[in-house]
Amino acid sequence: MSKLTKNQKLAAAKIEAGKAYSLAEAAVLVKEITTTKFDASVDIDVRLGVDPRKANQMVRGVVSLPNGTGKQVRVLALCTADQEAAAKEAGADYVGLDEYIDKIKGGWTDVDVIITMPSIMGKIGALGRILGPRGLMPNPKSGTVTMDVAKAVKEVKQGKIDFKVDKFGIVHTSIGKVSFTPEAITENANEFVQTLIKLKPAVSKGTYIKSIYLSSTMSQGIKVDPKSIE
C-alpha cells in the first residue's frame, strides 16, 4: 500500500470525513488542498438519478461558464469561404475547409473543438471514425454545427462547454482553474449544476442530483451538499 506524501496528509487533514460542504466552502477548500506546481483544472462530478441506457433519460447539453474555463481552447472552423474572415476575427485558430479535411484524414487532430456548417456535414461525416473517438465530431446539439460560425467560435473561446452523462449516470467536466477566485469557481459550478437541473428528463423519478464532488487535478474529491446549490 502506497504511503501518503506530506502534502497529501496536509490536504486530507483539511477535509472532514463524511462531511458535505456548501459549494462556497468547497470552492475555498479545493484551492487549499491543491499543491501542484502548475495551474490545475477544477473539476466537478455530478451523479444523476437517470438511466443513460434509455434514450429518454440521456442528459446532454451546453453551458456558458460566466468566468470561462481558464483553458486555451484551440478551435478549427470548417466553413465556406464567405464565413472565413468572420471566423478568424472571432478567434478561430484554424480556418478553412478541404485542406483541413485532408489533414484530418491523414491523422491530424491537434484541436479541442471543431465548428462547422450544416451544408458541410456531408463532407465531415466520413471523418467520424477519426473524430468520434476523440470527442471532436461537430454536433448540432452542442452548437458546433451552425449557420453562424463566428458566433459559435466566440462562445467557445469565452467559456462555452458541452457535456454528456456517461454510462454510470455521472456528468464530469472542468469548470475552471485553481488560480480562479473561490467566488469565480462557485459561480461556474453553480451555473453548470443549474443547467443540469433544467435538463432533468421528465421521466426521471426520485432524487435527480444524487451527489456532487469538487476536485482539482490530482487532488481528492470534496463532497458538496446539493442543497447548497438548489
Side-chain angles (χ1 to χ4, degrees):
M1 184 176 177
S2 60
K3 294 183 178 180
L4 293 177
T5 64
K6 180 180 178 181
N7 284 334
Q8 287 174 328
K9 288 179 180 178
L10 290 173
K14 293 183 179 181
I15 300 176
E16 188 177 328
K19 179 178 178 179
Y21 293 86
S22 71
L23 179 57
E25 291 172 331
V28 172
L29 265 177
V30 77
K31 291 173 63 70
E32 292 181 355
I33 68 171
T34 300
T35 58
T36 54
K37 294 181 179 179
F38 57 90
D39 192 7
S41 294
V42 175
D43 302 325
I44 190 168
D45 292 276
V46 183
R47 183 179 292 277
L48 302 176
V50 298
D51 184 352
R53 294 172 298 178
K54 298 178 180 178
N56 61 356
Q57 294 190 47
M58 172 57 67
V59 176
R60 179 174 189 166
V62 296
V63 60
S64 292
L65 300 176
N67 301 293
T69 62
K71 293 181 179 179
Q72 292 284 53
V73 182
R74 299 163 298 172
V75 178
L76 164 62
L78 295 175
C79 58
T80 51
D82 61 304
Q83 294 219 27
E84 288 186 1
K88 288 178 182 177
E89 188 175 341
D93 301 273
Y94 308 98
V95 179
L97 186 55
D98 292 331
E99 68 271 32
Y100 283 105
I101 288 177
D102 289 338
K103 283 187 70 173
I104 292 170
K105 286 180 180 177
W108 180 80
T109 56
D110 197 20
V111 293
D112 301 301
V113 178
I114 297 176
I115 295 171
T116 191
M117 306 163 64
S119 60
I120 294 173
M121 280 304 291
K123 288 187 175 184
I124 300 176
L127 305 175
R129 291 183 180 178
I130 301 172
L131 301 180
R134 294 169 174 79
L136 291 173
M137 194 67 182
N139 189 307
K141 292 182 179 179
S142 64
T144 49
V145 179
T146 174
M147 290 299 294
D148 195 340
V149 173
K151 180 182 177 183
V153 170
K154 188 175 181 180
E155 288 177 341
V156 168
K157 284 289 188 176
Q158 290 179 339
K160 182 179 179 181
I161 59 173
D162 65 284
F163 55 85
K164 185 172 83 170
V165 65
D166 66 18
K167 63 181 180 180
F168 302 108
I170 300 171
V171 184
H172 170 87
T173 193
S174 294
I175 54 162
K177 293 285 189 176
V178 169
S179 59
F180 282 19
T181 64
E183 292 77 18
I185 293 171
T186 300
E187 288 175 3
N188 278 2
N190 186 68
E191 184 69 21
F192 176 69
V193 177
Q194 293 295 344
T195 300
L196 285 178
I197 293 171
K198 292 175 184 175
L199 293 171
K200 179 181 178 180
V203 296
S204 176
K205 305 299 180 184
T207 303
Y208 178 56
I209 303 291
K210 290 196 166 184
S211 68
I212 302 173
Y213 281 86
L214 206 64
S215 63
S216 68
T217 308
M218 298 171 66
S219 87
Q220 68 185 94
I222 302 167
K223 189 175 183 179
V224 176
D225 183 359
K227 292 179 181 178
S228 70
I229 297 177
E230 294 179 290

